[in-house]
Amino acid sequence: MKKAYIRPLDLRHGSVDLSHGGGGRAMAQLIADVFGRAFDNEWLRRGDDGAVLPAPAPGERLVVATDAHVVSPLFFPGGDIGCLAVHGTINDVAVMGARPLYLAAAFIIEEGFPLADLVRLVASMAAAAREAGVPVVTGDTKVVEKGKGDGLFIATTGVGALPAGCELSGAAARPGDAVIVSGTVGDHGMAIMAQRENLAFDAAIRSDTAALHGLAAVAVAAAPGLRLLRDPTRGGLAATLNEIAQQSAVGIVLDEAAIPVDPQVAAACEFLGLDPLNIANEGKLIAVCPAAEAEALVAALRGHPLGRRAARIGEVIADAHRFVQMKTAFGGRRMVDWLAGEQLPRIC
Amino acid sequence: MKYVDEFRDGAIARGLAAAIAREVEPGRRYAFMEFCGGHTHAISRYGVADLLPPAVRMVHGPGCPVCVLPIGRIDQAIRLALDAGATVCTYGDTLRVPASGGLSMLRARARGADIRMIYSAADALALARQAPQRQVVFFAIGFETTTPPTALVIREAARLGLTNFSVLCCHVLTPAAITAILESPEVRELGSVPLDGFIGPAHVSTVIGSRPYAHFAEEYRKPVVIAGFEPLDVMQAVRMLVRQVNEGRAEVENEFTRAVTADGNLKAQARVSEVFELRREFEWRGLGLVPYSALRIRAPFAAFDAEARFGLDYRPVPDHPSCECGAILRGVRSPVDCKLFGTVCTPETPMGSCMVSSEGACAAHYTYGRFRDIPLTAAP
Ligand code: SF4
C-alpha cells in the first residue's frame, strides 16, 4: 500500500470523534496507530477478535478478575487512569495468590477527547503492563457522544495461573490470626482528593498505584499458612476488613497506633473530615496469617520495595457479630465500620 | 499542613482520665451535654467515653447542622429543584436526609432534579456565574460558622448584579437552641434530663465568642466550658466542668483559648449582620418552633432570597412517628431507646436526620459504638 494515500491521525491536536468508534476506516486507524503501537505483541498483531492463549501448566488453575476504572481526574500525582487500569486488575489476580499472565482492555472514550491525552494514557498503560510483564492481548474501543462519558473509562480483565495447593480465601481467617498491612493507608484516594480540592502541601500526596504480584509472591512464600491477601481499594482498609470479617464469620480488633499513615495524608484527612481507614489504596496488601508466622511475614514484606512500611495492625477474634473494632491511639475503643452512603465519587 | 497529634496523645489522655476519676465526688453523678456534633463525633471516634469514670455521662446535644433541619425545609429545596427547575446546591450530608413522600435530595436527583453537592458557598456562586441560563439556589444550612461565607457570597452576587443566584437560608443560632433545651419542660420541671453543664461549641465560638454563653451560666446556673474538637480538649473540658460542679460554680470557662476570645470574630459578625436579620421563629427538628433562632436575608438583599424569588411557603411536616430524633436532640433519649435503631434505621437507610451525618447521635453510635450494646459472643 502506498503510505501517501493515508491521512495520518493528528495525534498532537486532534480529538476522538464518533467515527473512531464507528467500525470504519477511522476506527481501524485509531486502533492501529494508538493501541497497536503502544501495546504491540504477537496476539494483537494477528488482529483477530480474540487472543488464543496456551493452557496453564498441569495442576494449575485459572483465575479471572475484572475491574472498571472511572477515576476523575484522569491524571493525578503518582499515576493516571492508564497505569491504574493495569495495576488494579493485576492486583485482583495477585491477591488470589495467582501469577498474572494476560490482560484484556476495553476503552470507552467520550467524543472530543484529545488524542494527545489518549496517546499519553495508553503509553502509561503499556509501560505499566510491560513493567509488570503482563501483556494486553485483546481489547475493544467504543466512542460515546459528548456528555455521555467523562473523558475516558477503561475496563480491564486479567487472567492468571494459580499454583496447585494455593488456597487463599477471604473466608479463611481464624480467631487468633494476625492482620498485616503492607504500608501506609489512604495514599491513593487522598492524592486524588487533594488534587480535586486543591489542597496545598509542601509536596504533593502521591498515589501508591503499583502492581502487587511481586509483593504478593513474597507473602505467599514467607507464610506457608497464609490465609488470605486482599488489596484494600475502594472503601479503604475499613471496607476490606469488614468484608473479611463477614466472609470468615469472625471479628477483628485493630490497634490504631500500629496502622501506618503518611503524615500528609493524615493532615489532609483531618482537613476534609475523613478517616484514612476509609480511603482507597491502589498499592497495598492486607494479609491475614497465623500469629506464629506474622513476624516472618512482616519481615519479608519489609524486604520488598513496595512493603517497606509493612506492619502488624491487629488480630482476628471470635465474634458472632463480625464487628471490626479498634483500640484507638487515644486509649478508647470504637468500631471501624463501612462508610455509609455515597462513596467519595470516582477515585479509581 | 500539620498533623495535630499532640491533641490526641494517649499517655496524656490516661493522665487526664485518672485526674477526672480522682476529682469526681463519690456518690455524685455528672451529666454534661456536648452541644456540638463535632464533639459527639470526637467522643465516639476516639472512644473518649471509655476513658471517663462511670459517674460522668455525656449527653448528645442538637449541634449537628443536618440533624436539626426539619423535613419541611428539605421539601422546599426539593420543590425548588423538581418543580421550579432550579439547580440546587448544598453540602454533602444534606442530600441523604429523609424528606416527605419517601424522597430525599439524593432520590430527587435520581428523578431528574438538578441537585449538586458542593464543598463551599463559593462553589455555588461559581456555578451560577458559569451557567447564566440556570437559576442556581444555594441551600444554606448550618450554625454560626457557616453563616459568614454565605453572607459573603450574597454580597458578592449583589456586587456582580447576578440575576440567577439565590439562597434558601436555613442558618440557625446556637444560643437560641441552648435556651430552648434549658426551657424545655423535661429539663425545667420533670428533671428527666439532669444536665449539670455544657461543653460549648468550638468553631461556632470562634465566631460569636464566649460572651453569649454568660447568660446560661448566670440565668440557669449551668457551667459552660468552651472546648476544641480534639479528644484531649473534650477531656480537659470535662475536668473543668467536674470542678465547677464540685465547687458549686456556674461560669463560662474557655478551654479553647488557642482559638476563642470573649468577643469572637467581630469582622465576621459585622458581615453577617449586614446581610442577615433574625427570623421571628424557625422550626427545628426536635426542638419545634424556637423564637429568634435563625436568620433570614435582609430586605436590601431580597433579590437573593430564594423564598422570596420563588414565592416559597413553608409547610411543616411531622417526623416519622417512631423516630426519636426530637427527644435525642433535646438530650432526653439516647439512640438505643429508638426501636428503629439499627434495624429499620441505619446509615444506609436513615429514617431520621440523626442517622445521616456522622455528627448525628444515632449515626455516631451506629458507626462507632454499637458493639457496646451487644455482648461479645464467640461464633457458633
Ligand atoms: S435511630 Fe433513626 S429513627 Fe431512631 S431516632 Fe435515630 S434517626 Fe430517628
Side-chain angles (χ1 to χ4, degrees):
Chain A
M1 198 181 347
K2 270 214 219 143
K3 275 278 185 224
Y5 286 139
I6 295 174
R7 185 194 164 91
L9 276 175
D10 182 356
L11 294 180
R12 208 171 316 175
H13 304 293
S15 58
V16 175
D17 60 52
L18 285 176
S19 70
H20 289 118
R25 197 177 349 257
M27 187 174 107
Q29 192 181 18
L30 181 77
I31 290 175
D33 285 8
V34 176
F35 299 105
R37 205 173 282 171
F39 294 123
D40 186 55
N41 57 49
E42 53 179 293
W43 297 277
L44 289 178
R45 244 172 276 140
R46 293 169 66 120
D48 288 333
D49 277 354
V52 179
L53 307 169
E60 286 191 337
R61 290 150 297 165
L62 290 178
V63 170
V64 179
T66 191
D67 207 347
H69 297 88
V70 297
V71 63
S72 166
L74 297 173
F75 298 91
F76 47 82
D80 53 57
I81 190 172
C83 63
L84 186 67
V86 168
H87 296 152
T89 298
I90 286 182
N91 294 349
D92 285 348
V93 173
V95 295
M96 299 302 297
R99 201 161 21 90
L101 298 173
Y102 309 102
L103 286 172
F107 297 82
I108 297 166
I109 313 172
E110 187 183 1
E111 186 184 10
F113 192 70
L115 276 171
D117 283 354
L118 185 65
V119 168
R120 236 175 103 196
L121 290 167
V122 170
S124 156
M125 196 171 169
R130 207 158 289 137
E131 196 186 331
V134 186
V136 177
V137 295
T138 183
D140 184 42
T141 307
K142 293 276 152 56
V143 178
V144 295
E145 290 148 67
K146 185 112 194 132
K148 298 278 166 68
D150 190 3
L152 175 67
F153 300 147
I154 305 178
T156 47
T157 300
V159 178
L162 186 65
C166 183
E167 301 294 343
L168 303 184
S169 159
R174 297 282 163 273
D177 285 353
V179 180
I180 288 160
V181 69
S182 68
T184 52
V185 298
D187 301 5
H188 172 74
M190 207 31 90
I192 299 225
M193 276 180 272
Q195 163 122 338
R196 253 193 238 157
E197 297 307 309
N198 269 322
L199 298 190
F201 287 96
D202 310 340
I205 297 175
R206 295 175 64 80
S207 164
D208 57 352
T209 181
L212 293 169
H213 53 312
L215 190 65
V218 165
V220 171
L226 187 67
R227 314 277 196 212
L228 64 98
L229 292 174
R230 269 301 185 36
D231 61 330
T233 54
R234 238 179 331 172
L237 196 66
T240 305
L241 292 177
N242 272 290
E243 283 160 25
I244 294 170
Q246 287 300 330
Q247 277 181 276
S248 297
V250 294
I252 293 174
V253 180
L254 296 176
D255 179 1
E256 187 177 24
I259 302 173
V261 183
D262 174 87
Q264 299 232 71
V265 170
C269 278
E270 196 59 40
F271 182 77
L272 297 173
L274 300 168
D275 186 338
L277 302 191
N278 293 125
I279 311 288
N281 309 277
E282 290 291 342
K284 295 291 151 37
L285 286 180
I286 293 175
V288 174
C289 70
E293 297 177 4
E295 218 171 294
L297 179 50
V298 170
L301 291 173
R302 286 188 179 164
H304 188 282
L306 293 175
R308 294 227 187 286
R309 294 200 57 194
R312 181 174 180 171
I313 57 169
E315 71 165 325
V316 178
I317 59 164
D319 175 7
H321 304 297
R322 308 174 186 190
F323 286 153
V324 179
Q325 303 177 39
M326 181 158 81
K327 289 185 231 152
T328 69
F330 195 69
R333 242 173 207 260
R334 67 147 158 121
M335 279 188 61
V336 176
D337 212 353
W338 266 292
L339 207 58
E342 66 276 25
Q343 296 277 358
L344 295 148
R346 301 219 269 120
I347 45 180
C348 52
Chain B
M1 243 181 226
K2 197 173 157 304
Y3 192 38
V4 279
D5 254 344
E6 62 257 45
F7 302 116
R8 303 190 186 152
D9 190 298
I12 303 178
R14 281 189 296 280
L16 257 177
I20 295 170
R22 272 196 308 276
E23 286 181 35
V24 298
E25 288 177 359
R28 189 167 200 163
R29 304 195 64 76
Y30 305 76
F32 302 127
M33 176 180 275
E34 86 274 5
F35 179 84
C36 266
H39 287 131
T40 304
H41 182 76
I43 290 169
S44 322
R45 171 161 172 190
Y46 298 97
V48 171
D50 291 329
L51 289 151
L52 295 177
V56 176
R57 191 167 68 91
M58 300 307 296
V59 180
H60 306 311
C64 149
V66 168
C67 305
V68 296
L69 205 59
I71 292 176
R73 289 290 167 186
I74 299 166
D75 285 353
Q76 278 187 327
I78 291 177
R79 266 186 279 146
L80 276 176
L82 274 183
D83 303 344
T87 298
V88 178
C89 326
T90 193
Y91 300 124
D93 280 341
T94 319
L95 297 185
R96 297 196 293 125
V97 180
S100 335
L103 276 179
S104 64
M105 292 183 76
L106 210 58
R107 294 210 175 123
R109 187 158 81 175
R111 288 199 188 168
D114 188 0
I115 290 174
R116 319 247 182 123
M117 181 180 123
I118 51 169
Y119 290 95
S120 73
D123 291 348
L125 187 70
L127 193 69
R129 296 184 68 180
Q130 279 159 24
Q133 76 289 359
R134 295 207 58 91
Q135 280 295 328
V136 175
V137 179
F138 174 41
F139 183 23
I141 69 154
F143 288 88
E144 288 87 339
T145 354
T146 44
T147 318
T150 307
L152 206 67
V153 292
I154 291 177
R155 272 178 39 172
E156 184 65 6
R159 194 184 63 79
L160 295 166
L162 290 189
T163 54
N164 69 325
F165 178 76
S166 58
V167 172
L168 176 55
C169 177
C170 296
H171 284 301
V172 288
L173 302 172
T174 304
I178 298 183
T179 307
I181 291 165
L182 290 170
E183 286 285 337
S184 75
E186 292 110 336
V187 175
R188 278 171 70 87
E189 289 134 36
L190 310 172
S192 65
V193 198
L195 275 185
D196 300 303
F198 289 91
I199 295 189
H203 296 165
V204 162
S205 307
T206 62
V207 178
I208 67 173
S210 63
R211 220 182 291 284
Y213 308 104
H215 174 69
F216 309 113
E218 283 157 23
E219 198 78 0
Y220 298 93
R221 303 292 308 150
K222 299 289 181 196
V224 178
V225 175
I226 295 162
F229 279 149
E230 294 300 331
L232 280 180
D233 290 324
V234 175
M235 294 197 59
Q236 183 59 35
V238 167
R239 185 182 187 188
M240 291 162 80
L241 284 169
V242 166
R243 280 194 185 159
Q244 286 208 37
V245 171
N246 289 350
E247 292 164 14
R249 288 183 292 130
E251 296 165 11
V252 178
E253 288 181 306
N254 186 0
E255 184 276 339
F256 198 34
T257 47
R258 61 182 191 275
V260 173
T261 61
D263 291 325
N265 184 340
L266 295 172
K267 210 169 136 205
Q269 290 168 24
R271 192 180 293 151
V272 167
S273 61
E274 182 198 338
V275 176
F276 297 112
E277 62 190 4
L278 284 176
R279 285 183 192 259
R280 191 175 302 273
E281 59 183 15
F282 190 80
E283 191 194 359
W284 292 54
R285 192 177 291 226
L287 302 179
L289 281 174
V290 181
Y292 301 107
S293 63
L295 299 174
R296 70 159 180 240
I297 297 168
R298 282 187 191 275
F301 295 95
F304 305 98
D305 186 344
E307 286 179 79
R309 172 171 300 179
F310 296 95
L312 286 180
D313 55 338
Y314 182 72
R315 296 178 218 145
V317 179
D319 288 335
H320 185 288
S322 300
C323 175
E324 299 276 12
C325 275
I328 290 170
L329 291 169
R330 294 195 304 275
V332 188
R333 295 263 157 83
S334 70
V336 288
D337 296 330
C338 172
K339 58 177 184 285
L340 305 183
F341 179 84
T343 51
V344 179
C345 182
T346 67
E348 284 74 25
T349 53
M351 303 302 293
S353 57
C354 297
M355 193 55 106
V356 173
S357 159
S358 63
E359 296 184 350
C362 295
H365 185 65
Y366 187 90
T367 310
Y368 295 125
R370 71 184 187 278
F371 70 96
R372 281 178 228 282
D373 306 337
I374 321 173
L376 201 67
T377 50

